Amino acid sequence: MLSTRDRKVLENVGAHRIHHMDYLSEENSWRLFCIHAFPEDHNHSPPEELEKVARAIERKCSRLPLAVKTVAASMASVKQLPNEWESTLYRLNKISTIKDDILPILTLSYDALPGYLKPCFLFCSAYPEDAIMSCKYLVLAWIAQGFVNPEEREDSYELGFSYLNELVDRCMIEFVPYDGNDYIIKYCKMHDLLHDLAFSESQGQTRCLFQAGKNVEKFPVQKCHGLRRISLIKNKITSIDQTIRSPGLLSWLLWNNLHLKLICEDFFEKMRHLSVLDLSQTSIKSLPKSIAKLKHLKLLNLSRTDIEKLHRWFCGLSNLQSLDVSCCEKLKNLHSDMTKHQYLLQLNVAGCKNLAWVPVGISKLVSLRLLGQVVFKLRENAPNALQLRDIKDLTRLQYLSIAFNGRSNSQNIIEGIFGGMEDMRNLFIENSDENSLVQLPEDMAAMRRLEILHLHNCVVPSWISQLHNLMILFLKGDDSDND
């Protein structure tokens, strides 16, 4: 099945059974509008004093579902202020009502966004159309670029997710069900017309080059000078052998350039303000030493690369907030002085099969919110290796994934390790020894905010009934094929 707005696409693929989508009926258009404009009303009905103007606004959406939904959701945010509703109708009356030309209507929804949401929305246009975006990555990228500004004692990670939820409530972004389950929020996406809107607005407002998924084969050096944001995601670039003059560059996204192997040694020498660097899904084996000059770098994604080692000069990245080296199968070790990264919010080492051990310095990174997946092994000759007991001070963790490799390690969950992790939302515990089930101590019941619990070869604890926020429980044993 193929859906498209372009008839030429149908001709090119030789489609012979074509179903033309009609506009919504007047009744269904009004019902859809009310669902999104008045979500707090049990019957989704407008108050009497707003019904006339609400119906007029709905009619201006030309019974196009996306326009109806986004405009209605933006009206929900102004509650029941008649002046705001009249103002929106006035602006809609100035817009052409030609059917299918809904970008001007969608622009009204963008204009209605509060200032703190606009850069978050525009950043999504750095992705290719129809891209599935990781919610965690998106929020961390927003934080790294300064889009999320918490008040004193406010958690930046939680605030970032509240921004994402607000964009979803306004129908500017939508969540993607994970594995058919609406309760697990891992990914999101943007409608292609909203992507067009975000792309158009970002080109007009910031100095950026967004060429995601355009089959670019050679790094476009001449186009990259004097920019603030560059996205060359999902292209065919194989090497970067020249530097660019962009001292004000803030984000550089290169993931999914599968054959990229080389970046010249002095490439990062003058990018002092770079805050987001994504080289994931490339064939990079080592990074140039000039990366140590990136004092303001906050997000570094090296996942699914051929990187073999994180050198000690990584210590220079003292403001790093997110480090992702997941699925780097050739990675053998992290640098030993991880305590230098005191602002780290995320560390992801999941799927690093050849990683000998994780340094104990990670236990000092008390700002960590996400840690995955640490494999605890029996290592007599690794005195500096992180042990399970060392993570007890990471009390701000919201996501933790750990695995035990070896019988002696699976007995190390004792009272006092998890008891202080009251902010935990997602916990994954995997035990490779089916002959020795892991016992979980009583003080883990303090994780009152836990929503997802995944247990592999563990005894189901009696205190689980005390977790009133728990939505999903995965139970797995090696003697069963079912979760």
Side-chain angles (χ1 to χ4, degrees):
M1 182 182 294
L2 172 69
S3 63
T4 181
R5 302 189 311 275
D6 190 342
R7 184 178 292 274
K8 290 182 180 179
V9 173
L10 299 177
E11 295 173 357
N12 291 337
V13 299
H16 59 279
R17 295 181 64 185
I18 301 174
H19 178 72
H20 295 279
M21 299 295 292
D22 291 329
Y23 299 103
L24 293 172
S25 67
E26 290 184 11
E27 179 183 354
N28 286 338
S29 180
W30 174 243
R31 183 183 296 119
L32 179 64
F33 183 90
C34 288
I35 287 172
H36 290 281
F38 310 105
E40 296 179 0
D41 184 85
H42 178 70
N43 296 315
H44 301 298
S45 299
E48 185 176 349
E49 66 272 17
L50 288 181
E51 182 168 357
K52 183 177 179 180
V53 65
R55 286 188 178 274
I57 290 174
E58 177 268 322
R59 285 193 295 271
K60 284 295 179 179
C61 296
S62 304
R63 291 186 284 147
L64 294 165
L66 181 62
V68 171
K69 189 169 66 169
T70 53
V71 170
S74 69
M75 298 315 299
S77 65
V78 302
K79 306 299 181 183
Q80 298 180 14
L81 302 174
N83 289 342
E84 293 289 343
W85 287 74
E86 293 289 351
S87 176
T88 298
L89 179 59
Y90 173 77
R91 284 178 288 161
L92 282 169
N93 282 330
K94 296 175 67 176
I95 293 174
S96 168
T97 56
I98 300 174
K99 288 189 183 292
D100 295 329
D101 184 19
I102 69 170
L103 273 181
I105 298 176
L106 297 180
T107 301
L108 283 182
S109 295
Y110 169 75
D111 290 340
L113 289 177
Y116 59 86
L117 288 183
K118 286 182 177 179
C120 300
F121 173 74
L122 296 183
F123 178 74
C124 297
S125 65
Y127 287 77
E129 270 194 10
D130 300 319
I132 303 298
M133 301 175 286
S134 163
C135 295
K136 292 174 185 174
Y137 177 88
L138 200 56
V139 168
L140 288 166
W142 291 346
I143 294 171
Q145 295 173 90
F147 300 162
V148 180
N149 297 299
E151 300 289 340
E152 188 178 358
R153 294 189 177 182
E154 196 171 17
D155 187 283
S156 60
Y157 188 66
E158 290 194 1
L159 183 60
F161 259 97
S162 75
Y163 286 9
L164 179 60
N165 285 323
E166 192 170 348
L167 284 170
V168 171
D169 289 342
R170 290 171 176 267
C171 299
M172 306 299 279
I173 293 178
E174 58 185 290
F175 288 131
V176 178
Y178 176 72
D179 199 22
N181 195 318
D182 291 330
Y183 291 103
I184 303 180
I185 306 300
K186 293 187 69 172
Y187 301 104
C188 59
K189 66 179 181 178
M190 179 181 281
H191 191 284
D192 55 355
L193 285 175
L194 287 168
H195 185 278
D196 291 346
L197 171 64
F199 183 84
S200 175
E201 292 288 338
S202 63
Q203 298 298 308
Q205 294 185 23
T206 59
R207 299 190 303 276
C208 60
L209 174 68
F210 290 170
Q211 292 188 347
K214 300 298 183 182
N215 292 316
V216 177
E217 296 183 358
K218 187 175 181 181
F219 183 64
V221 176
Q222 298 305 318
K223 294 181 179 180
C224 292
H225 298 310
L227 299 179
R228 291 179 65 81
R229 292 185 172 84
I230 298 175
S231 172
L232 293 166
I233 294 169
K234 202 177 180 181
N235 282 301
K236 299 178 180 180
I237 298 170
T238 58
S239 66
I240 299 174
D241 53 11
Q242 297 182 59
T243 60
I244 60 175
R245 296 187 302 277
S246 287
L249 190 66
L250 297 176
S251 62
W252 193 45
L253 310 181
L254 267 171
W255 59 266
N256 207 351
N257 281 269
L258 299 177
H259 302 292
L260 175 62
K261 296 182 178 180
L262 173 68
I263 299 177
C264 61
E265 278 298 320
D266 58 345
F267 187 79
F268 298 107
E269 194 74 34
K270 297 181 180 180
M271 295 183 185
R272 299 300 175 89
H273 297 284
L274 191 66
S275 58
V276 174
L277 176 59
D278 193 331
L279 296 171
S280 60
Q281 297 183 63
T282 64
S283 297
I284 294 290
K285 290 186 177 181
S286 63
L287 293 172
K289 289 185 179 180
S290 58
I291 198 173
K293 301 287 187 179
L294 303 179
K295 302 299 183 183
H296 295 281
L297 190 66
K298 295 180 179 178
L299 186 152
L300 177 59
N301 192 348
L302 299 173
S303 63
R304 299 183 185 278
T305 62
D306 292 335
I307 204 84
E308 297 177 353
K309 182 179 181 180
L310 295 187
H311 295 275
R312 189 179 176 84
W313 44 260
F314 261 70
C315 294
L317 307 178
S318 56
N319 286 300
L320 203 61
Q321 295 177 344
S322 175
L323 175 60
D324 191 342
V325 290
S326 60
C327 300
C328 290
E329 297 187 356
K330 296 181 180 180
L331 182 66
K332 295 180 180 178
N333 64 278
L334 306 176
H335 72 83
S336 58
D337 202 0
M338 291 295 293
T339 55
K340 298 293 185 182
H341 306 302
Q342 58 180 311
Y343 300 113
L344 210 59
L345 299 176
Q346 175 194 240
L347 175 62
N348 193 350
V349 295
C352 296
K353 298 179 180 178
N354 287 309
L355 189 63
W357 47 273
V358 175
V360 69
I362 288 173
S363 64
K364 305 298 183 183
L365 304 179
V366 294
S367 294
L368 273 176
R369 306 295 195 280
L370 302 96
L371 178 59
Q373 177 195 48
V374 178
V375 179
F376 292 99
K377 306 175 183 179
L378 185 59
R379 294 274 178 181
E380 295 180 357
N381 298 322
N384 294 322
L386 183 74
Q387 302 296 326
L388 182 60
R389 63 179 178 272
D390 298 323
I391 70 172
K392 62 181 176 61
D393 293 328
L394 304 180
T395 56
R396 302 181 74 179
L397 280 174
Q398 297 180 16
Y399 176 100
L400 175 63
S401 176
I402 59 176
F404 298 107
N405 185 358
R407 181 176 301 180
S408 61
N409 283 291
S410 65
Q411 306 302 318
N412 288 338
I413 301 187
I414 57 176
E415 293 276 349
I417 294 178
F418 292 102
M421 299 180 185
E422 297 179 358
D423 287 335
M424 188 70 70
R425 308 294 202 285
N426 301 340
L427 178 61
F428 297 76
I429 299 177
E430 296 195 24
N431 171 26
S432 62
D433 185 3
E434 69 273 16
N435 296 316
S436 180
L437 300 183
V438 172
Q439 301 279 347
L440 304 178
E442 287 284 337
D443 66 341
M444 291 180 71
M447 298 179 180
R448 303 293 187 186
R449 304 176 74 178
L450 196 64
E451 297 173 352
I452 298 174
L453 178 60
H454 180 121
L455 301 177
H456 178 197
N457 287 330
C458 298
V459 176
V460 179
S462 59
W463 46 259
I464 202 168
S465 60
Q466 301 176 40
L467 303 177
H468 300 304
N469 286 319
L470 192 66
M471 294 187 293
I472 296 176
L473 173 63
F474 289 101
L475 299 175
K476 184 176 181 181
D478 286 340
D479 58 345
S480 173
D481 293 329
N482 299 316
D483 290 3

